[in-house]
């Protein structure tokens, strides 16, 4: 029976592909494949995952953070930090203030050096701005079902009950440094057919929709170019698909052609340094956002399992901030994570307001931070520069 529709069998899947277009000018019949469809589910079905004791709430994509168990032994109680009988409050000299001002002016192409070099300093006033910082280093654990191509890895599901998520040993972290470790939970690994290719190891080629060939672009599928047989497709009207080498299918990306997956529970151990700052504002006139770019002198440091709020500091605002942040951190992080270490520091960012006269008029500038940065909004000798 000539020129009758045929059901062409996909060579890898046995999927019927109906479609028929008569060839022009007596050429061979051209079969047009249907639109490509996804062969398997895009996400693993729930039935793919076994029920593991202690991990019943684990799902693909993550099941949320797991609260740590109640400590089996009493945890160390916080104790007051080391006493500081003498809080060292540094100040800068007039020479340092002048040198910083000269360096500031020399870095500005449109600033004359006159005010910096010849101005007369009449008054210097120090403003001590304190930065209190509390860091709480925590460990959180979460689980999710995961999979990888099966290449003969050990299969241990149901050999014995898996250990709990907080019973699995992890590496020792560096305190106050963010890090993460992925651990395959023991006794949860099993082998399943790949859900993407349904255990075939291959999937229909999207470029040719599983037929192994594509419409000839030279003759547009007719098999002829004018009255001559098309040389590009030898009159077939179609060419082998380059993407799949004419096979009609490609290796499954999920199982990498293995047809099977090792399915297991993945434990994510995450270490996070949670930090909060409190800066005491002073009425110096310098914008506080300038201080984020400079460092200060560390006056106090206390690191232990759980810190005790700072006591005896000469600024009451710092002590109140310490009390509030310590309480907030303990309530916030002890419920969802395991606190491993805390650290509190007090940093002094020096700010000096300098008043000087130049050509009979009074002006001010600020010197701040360990870097002796300068801010002079009303510098009196500037010019308009044009960059060619």
């Amino acid at each position: 029976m000539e020129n009758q529709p045929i059901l062409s069998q996909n060579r890898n899947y046995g999927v019927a592909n109906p479609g028929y277009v008569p060839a022009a000018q007596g050429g061979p019949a051209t079969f047009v494949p249907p639109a490509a469809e996804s062969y398997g589910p895009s996400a693993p079905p729930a039935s793919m995952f076994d029920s593991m004791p202690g991990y019943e709430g684990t799902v693909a994509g993550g099941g949320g953070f797991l609260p740590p168990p109640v400590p089996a032994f009493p945890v160390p109680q916080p104790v007051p930090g080391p006493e500081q009988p003498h809080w060292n409050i540094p100040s800068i000299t007039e020479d340092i203030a002048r040198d910083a001002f000269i360096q500031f002016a020399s870095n500005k192409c449109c600033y004359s050096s006159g005010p910096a070099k010849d101005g007369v300093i009449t008054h210097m006033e120090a403003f001590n701005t304190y930065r209190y910082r509390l860091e709480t280093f925590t460990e959180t654990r979460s689980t999710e079902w995961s999979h990888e191509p099966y290449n003969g890895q050990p299969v241990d599901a149901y050999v014995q009950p898996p250990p709990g998520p907080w019973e699995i040993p992890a590496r020792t972290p560096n305190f106050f440094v963010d890090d993460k470790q992925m651990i395959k939970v023991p006794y949860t690994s099993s082998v399943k057919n790949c859900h993407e290719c349904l255990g075939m190891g291959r999937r229909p080629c999207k470029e040719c929709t599983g037929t192994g060939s594509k419409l000839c672009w030279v003759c547009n599928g007719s098999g002829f170019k004018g009255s001559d047989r098309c040389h590009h497709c030898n009159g077939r009207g179609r060419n082998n698909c380059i993407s799949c080498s004419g096979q009609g299918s490609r290796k499954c990306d999920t199982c990498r052609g293995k047809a099977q997956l090792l399915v297991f529970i993945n434990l994510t151990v995450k270490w996070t340094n949670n930090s909060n700052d409190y800066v005491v504002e002073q009425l110096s006139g310098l914008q506080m956002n300038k201080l984020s770019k400079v460092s200060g002198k560390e006056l106090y440091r206390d690191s232990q399992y759980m810190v005790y709020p700072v006591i005896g500091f000469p600024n009451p605002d710092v002590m109140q901030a310490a009390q509030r942040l310590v309480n907030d951190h303990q309530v916030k992080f002890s419920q969802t994570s395991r606190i491993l270490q805390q650290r509190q520091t007090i940093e002094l960012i020096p700010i000096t307001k300098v008043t000087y006269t130049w050509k009979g008029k009074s002006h001010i500038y600020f010197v701040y931070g360990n870097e002796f940065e300068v801010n002079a909004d009303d510098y009196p000798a500037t010019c308009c520069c044009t960059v060619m």
Side-chain angles (χ1 to χ4, degrees):
M1 298 176 61
E2 296 184 355
N3 293 342
Q4 291 297 318
I6 314 174
L7 294 181
S8 64
Q9 294 292 323
N10 181 290
R11 67 194 65 179
N12 293 292
Y13 297 93
V15 179
N17 291 327
Y20 168 80
V21 175
Q25 300 186 27
T30 300
F31 297 95
V32 181
E37 297 180 356
S38 177
Y39 191 70
S42 58
S47 59
M48 185 173 177
F49 307 121
D50 299 325
S51 177
M52 291 293 168
Y55 293 86
E56 290 80 0
T58 301
V59 297
F65 291 108
L66 304 169
V70 178
F73 302 97
V75 298
Q77 294 300 308
V79 296
E83 292 187 3
Q84 300 286 339
H86 303 290
W87 298 97
N88 185 17
I89 309 299
S91 59
I92 66 172
T93 65
E94 184 174 316
D95 288 340
I96 293 177
R98 183 180 300 280
D99 290 343
F101 199 27
I102 293 174
Q103 182 65 34
F104 166 78
S106 66
N107 291 333
K108 304 288 186 180
C109 66
C110 298
Y111 282 24
S112 168
S113 62
K117 292 182 177 179
D118 302 329
V120 178
I121 294 178
T122 59
H123 183 66
M124 292 176 58
E125 185 177 4
F127 292 85
N128 300 318
T129 299
Y130 300 105
R131 179 188 291 140
Y132 172 82
R133 174 173 296 157
L134 176 63
E135 299 167 274
T136 299
F137 187 64
T138 60
E139 177 182 318
T140 56
R141 298 195 173 199
S142 60
T143 58
E144 64 176 331
W145 279 103
S146 188
H147 56 75
E148 62 187 28
Y150 180 61
N151 293 295
Q153 303 96 312
V155 177
D156 56 10
Y158 298 109
V159 172
Q160 68 181 61
W166 286 95
E167 297 172 353
I168 299 173
R171 66 169 176 260
T172 302
N174 295 320
F175 283 167
F176 307 110
V177 178
D178 290 355
D179 202 357
K180 184 170 67 172
Q181 182 181 4
M182 310 288 286
I183 304 173
K184 187 179 296 183
V185 177
Y187 308 113
T188 63
S189 298
S190 61
V191 177
K192 307 287 185 181
N193 283 339
C194 177
H195 59 281
E196 289 280 356
C197 63
L198 303 183
M200 294 290 184
R202 303 184 68 85
R203 300 193 66 195
C205 176
K206 293 182 179 179
E207 293 295 322
C208 63
T209 60
T211 64
S213 62
K214 300 179 69 175
L215 199 69
C216 177
W217 62 272
V218 175
C219 65
N220 200 28
S222 68
F224 286 84
K225 189 67 174 176
S227 59
D228 299 326
R229 183 182 296 271
C230 177
H231 68 279
H232 192 260
C233 64
N234 293 323
R236 295 174 53 236
R238 300 183 70 83
N239 294 310
N240 283 350
C241 176
I242 298 176
S243 181
C244 65
S245 301
Q247 297 185 48
S249 65
R250 301 182 64 182
K251 183 187 295 184
C252 176
D253 292 333
T254 301
C255 67
R256 297 176 189 169
K258 300 299 182 180
Q260 291 182 312
L261 298 172
L262 184 73
V263 180
F264 56 91
I265 293 178
N266 218 15
L267 172 68
T268 301
V269 184
K270 189 176 182 180
W271 295 282
T272 306
N273 188 37
N274 307 277
S275 179
N276 285 104
D277 293 352
Y278 172 78
V279 179
V280 179
E281 293 192 17
Q282 298 288 342
L283 301 178
S284 64
L286 178 68
Q287 296 181 3
M288 296 298 292
N289 59 5
K290 299 284 187 182
L291 305 181
S292 61
K293 300 180 180 179
V294 298
S295 62
K297 178 179 180 180
E298 189 174 279
L299 303 179
Y300 177 80
R301 174 183 289 257
D302 175 28
S303 181
Q304 51 184 312
Y305 166 65
M306 298 282 276
V307 298
Y308 194 88
V310 175
I311 57 176
F313 192 73
N315 188 296
D317 290 339
V318 171
M319 291 191 291
Q320 292 175 10
Q323 180 72 56
R324 175 176 55 82
L325 288 176
V326 167
N327 291 338
D328 289 348
H329 275 219
Q330 291 178 359
V331 171
K332 180 178 181 180
F333 299 116
S334 61
Q335 302 299 319
T336 59
S337 58
R338 176 178 284 171
I339 296 177
L340 302 181
Q341 192 80 357
Q342 285 188 314
R343 178 171 65 191
Q344 57 183 344
T345 57
I346 299 176
E347 187 182 16
L348 173 71
I349 305 177
I351 301 174
T352 302
K353 182 178 181 181
V354 182
T355 304
Y356 69 101
T357 58
W358 188 68
K359 291 186 176 181
K361 293 184 179 181
S362 181
H363 306 275
I364 64 170
Y365 66 91
F366 296 92
V367 182
Y368 58 98
N370 285 344
E371 299 80 4
F372 302 126
E373 292 290 330
V374 171
N375 178 256
D377 291 335
D378 66 341
Y379 195 80
T382 63
C383 62
C384 296
C385 298
T386 303
V387 178
M388 300 300 292

